Amino acid sequence: MVLIIFGASGDLCKRKLMPALYFLYKEKRVPSVFAILGTARTSHSDRSFRQMMKEELSRSLHQNQLDEAVLSEFIECLYYQPMNPTREDDYFLLQNRLKEMDRELTNESNYLFYLAVPPTLYETIPKLLKKAGLTGEPGIKRIVVEKPFGYDLNSAQELNEIYTSVFREDEIFRIDHFLGKETVLNILALRFANSIFEPIWNRNYVDYIEITAVEKIGVERRAGFFEQTGTLRDMVQNHLMQLLALIAMEPPRQFNAISFRDEVSKIYRSLKPFKEGSIGEQVVRGQYTTAENVKGYREEESVAPDSRTETFVAMKVFVDNWRWSGIPFFLRTGKRMPTKVTEIIVHFKQAPYHLFECLGTHCPVADSLVIRIQPEEGIVLRFALKVPGSGFEVKMTDMDFSYASLGHLPAMEAYARLIEDCFSGDSTLFSRGDTVEDSWSFFTPVLEYWKNHPEAPLYSYPAGTWGPHEADKMMEDLGFSWSNPCKNLTNTDKYCEL
Ligand code: BG6
């Protein structure tokens, strides 16, 4: 199989794809006959591309992952074809190069195209691949495309039309790297490999659910992309929705591409649509401003000085079905927050009657289950226990499972797991076309509302804080509050400093 990476000189390829591929190669989890053909506008020979990737990998891999002999072998699998992905003629260069490689390899024409390029190229590449005869029989042909797939419902529908006119649905891998994370997949094990959670996993026992994925970094070198995208399209429409689906879904009949994705789809279709009049109350958007030594978003390079792109979103959504009716799901994501943390907290209802009074500083509150996706990966069950000694003081305590206690953390990066699935043709953990449309159909009214109402508030928050106060207010109005990890979780000092 030849993996053809479009955008091979870009950040994604260097920082995520190459380390993942090196890892798979080291573990002998790549196809038995295998090569990588990088393509981009930048001019490189095979040799200079190999050299560049070798330097990048030596720099980025941890010492304990780096095996010089394996790295040298891996680098020999790399080839490079300079080309402009918008120029039809260049696809014939690509075709010739692939024919040459086929002759050297197996003559089977098995190609996996990976689009590590800006979304503006998502339409062009499959069309031109088809024109150049690089799709269809003979051999295996698959395409991997990054999120965001589309920028609203219409564009996602158009993209789906293009992709399905070139590839079969089972040959299209719409990747969302959150679904490759070990701790995200473990939500499925937690829910469906155990029986103790199921009876309480519903509106009768759950009060509300928080899904947080915040980051300490700003937009870094991606401001150009971010200006066009914003947080809702970058994080919410895809990553947070995947987390929501895993928490809310019904058990799939089997863990395969059909059953699993059917259940995801049912959740997206059960989301209670936003009403124009309530978008302002249900969705809070924000943008970070300068604080101490940190630049505000509008001061970042390539950002318009009056930009209205959101770098923070908090929202309240409802899954309108038998299990979850009336239970709010609060989603929150943002850049330049105090820390990097992704976690889901299931808050259970209060005990029906307060037998034990609030003594001193200790008050029994409702139980919760914290699923920490990253960092400090683990699961915490928080419940009340008696403080040893006289009297009857009850305090919240944590039963804390940490992945580190299993001896080792998941070694394989999310990308490695997902790329391996692309090699084997397993699309279970990839978004299906109709599901992507369902997700866009839920969020498009919000995007339209922002577009048509320039006066709709975009709240500012100083870099390094937990976002605009309006996001807190949204929770407080219902008697809840965000569980900011620095405040509440144990052992968080390491990832709490500003
Ligand atoms: C990417 C977004 O998909 O996910 C980035 O484009 C974000 O903006 C990143 O930083 C977060 O991923 P992770 O795995 O670091 O939590």
Side-chain angles (χ1 to χ4, degrees):
M1 179 168 275
V2 184
L3 168 63
I4 300 109
I5 304 181
F6 286 88
S9 55
D11 247 26
L12 177 67
C13 179
K14 287 184 206 154
R15 292 198 304 127
K16 299 285 186 189
L17 305 187
M18 282 298 164
L21 287 161
Y22 162 80
F23 176 82
L24 290 174
Y25 186 85
K26 187 165 161 238
E27 298 278 304
K28 302 195 175 18
R29 292 161 92 153
V30 294
S32 53
V33 181
F34 171 67
I36 299 170
L37 176 63
T39 85
R41 288 190 177 96
T42 322
S43 115
H44 270 300
S45 61
D46 289 347
R47 214 168 121 183
S48 66
F49 183 61
R50 287 175 185 172
Q51 190 52 33
M52 174 177 84
M53 286 305 170
K54 191 168 183 182
E55 284 163 17
E56 285 285 341
L57 286 169
S58 310
R59 209 179 14 247
S60 63
L61 291 172
H62 285 295
Q63 226 36 51
N64 59 358
Q65 295 170 318
L66 191 64
D67 179 326
E68 288 292 345
V70 177
L71 180 60
S72 304
E73 247 183 58
F74 170 71
I75 289 300
E76 292 300 308
C77 300
L78 303 187
Y79 300 80
Y80 189 82
Q81 175 63 50
M83 67 176 277
N84 177 344
T86 60
R87 244 197 0 234
E88 199 173 327
D89 289 351
D90 284 14
Y91 285 74
F92 293 96
L93 296 176
L94 178 65
Q95 189 195 45
N96 286 339
R97 190 67 203 270
L98 284 169
K99 273 194 194 145
E100 224 173 77
M101 291 176 75
D102 274 349
R103 281 195 291 274
E104 267 179 47
L105 297 164
T106 58
N107 256 335
E108 287 189 16
S109 308
N110 294 333
Y111 306 146
L112 175 62
F113 300 103
Y114 199 119
L115 272 50
V117 291
T120 42
L121 289 169
Y122 288 180
E123 271 190 48
T124 316
I125 295 176
K127 284 186 190 161
L128 295 182
L129 284 173
K130 186 176 180 184
K131 274 201 172 166
L134 284 166
T135 58
E137 308 259 309
I140 296 170
K141 303 288 182 299
R142 296 183 188 134
I143 189 159
V144 189
V145 56
E146 283 283 336
K147 40 100 346 209
F149 189 81
Y151 53 89
D152 61 10
L153 178 60
N154 279 343
S155 58
Q157 282 169 335
E158 276 165 28
L159 272 187
N160 271 333
E161 259 171 48
I162 296 172
Y163 278 71
T164 50
S165 69
V166 179
F167 296 92
R168 291 193 315 262
E169 178 61 37
D170 66 339
E171 295 171 330
I172 307 169
F173 291 74
R174 298 174 194 80
I175 195 166
D176 178 326
H177 79 279
F178 265 46
L179 269 189
K181 288 180 192 276
E182 197 70 24
T183 43
V184 170
L185 294 176
N186 242 311
I187 299 173
L188 290 172
L190 180 81
R191 291 196 53 204
F192 304 133
N194 300 297
S195 61
I196 57 170
F197 297 109
E198 176 55 21
I200 55 171
W201 210 261
N202 56 50
R203 63 189 306 279
N204 299 325
Y205 292 89
V206 173
D207 210 9
Y208 66 104
I209 292 178
E210 273 180 82
I211 302 180
T212 290
V214 295
E215 298 178 277
K216 197 168 167 174
I217 54 167
V219 287
E220 301 198 297
R221 283 180 290 170
R222 300 164 71 226
F225 159 80
F226 207 82
E227 269 287 84
Q228 305 301 317
T229 312
T231 294
L232 194 139
R233 292 185 174 97
D234 186 43
M235 291 291 292
V236 185
Q237 181 271 337
N238 30 70
H239 300 328
L240 294 199
M241 290 303 277
Q242 298 286 3
L243 298 181
L244 183 144
L246 293 177
I247 287 294
M249 74 197 298
E250 295 304 312
R253 169 73 185 82
Q254 287 175 321
F255 187 58
N256 63 23
I258 297 178
S259 301
F260 173 71
R261 298 193 301 178
D262 277 352
E263 295 306 331
V264 172
S265 162
K266 283 186 208 161
I267 290 300
Y268 289 2
R269 286 178 196 176
S270 309
L271 289 165
K272 188 173 182 174
F274 291 104
K275 289 209 185 84
E276 189 174 319
S278 64
I279 290 177
E281 283 159 37
Q282 260 184 273
V283 186
V284 173
R285 60 175 172 164
Q287 191 185 70
Y288 62 84
T289 53
T290 306
E292 304 199 354
N293 296 328
V294 182
K295 271 191 208 164
Y297 179 69
R298 290 180 184 176
E299 279 72 57
E300 304 268 14
E301 215 183 302
S302 318
V303 172
D306 56 352
S307 168
R308 297 202 39 93
T309 302
E310 77 286 357
T311 61
F312 172 96
V313 172
M315 60 171 68
K316 177 176 66 180
V317 304
F318 293 91
V319 178
D320 247 357
N321 65 13
W322 189 274
R323 191 187 281 268
W324 296 116
S325 174
I327 303 303
F329 286 71
F330 293 98
L331 316 183
R332 176 177 58 160
T333 179
K335 302 236 179 246
R336 286 271 182 243
M337 309 293 283
T339 185
K340 175 166 177 82
V341 63
T342 305
E343 68 183 14
I344 300 164
I345 309 185
V346 180
H347 294 270
F348 295 99
K349 295 200 161 146
Q350 296 269 2
Y353 170 69
H354 291 293
L355 184 59
F356 308 107
E357 282 180 20
C358 208
L359 289 176
T361 49
H362 300 140
C363 296
V365 293
D367 305 333
S368 54
L369 182 74
V370 183
I371 302 171
R372 279 198 221 126
I373 308 294
Q374 62 190 17
E376 309 271 315
E377 292 81 353
I379 294 169
V380 178
L381 182 63
R382 191 165 298 146
F383 55 101
L385 277 183
K386 178 182 175 303
V387 178
S390 60
F392 217 108
E393 196 173 354
V394 171
K395 114 179 221 204
M396 295 312 286
T397 186
D398 287 352
M399 196 155 80
D400 198 338
F401 158 74
S402 152
Y403 279 93
S405 68
L406 290 181
H408 60 86
L409 283 171
M412 200 155 91
E413 258 266 1
Y415 271 98
R417 157 135 212 165
L418 294 174
I419 295 173
E420 190 182 6
D421 287 353
C422 298
F423 288 144
S424 64
D426 181 351
S427 51
T428 309
L429 298 176
F430 296 80
S431 307
R432 206 167 60 192
D434 58 325
T435 318
V436 174
E437 289 180 19
D438 290 338
S439 172
W440 279 122
S441 115
F442 180 61
F443 288 112
T444 298
V446 179
L447 293 164
E448 295 272 302
Y449 177 76
W450 287 345
K451 196 169 104 197
N452 300 333
H453 294 83
E455 77 291 354
L458 167 70
Y459 300 104
S460 60
Y461 61 99
T465 63
W466 285 103
H469 298 305
E470 285 71 13
D472 299 333
K473 194 166 172 309
M474 182 174 76
M475 279 277 225
E476 283 157 11
D477 285 349
L478 291 173
F480 307 134
S481 62
W482 295 103
S483 315
N484 296 339
C486 298
K487 220 167 52 191
N488 291 337
L489 280 186
T490 51
N491 295 328
T492 51
D493 298 354
K494 308 193 207 83
Y495 64 98
C496 269
E497 87 286 2
L498 271 179

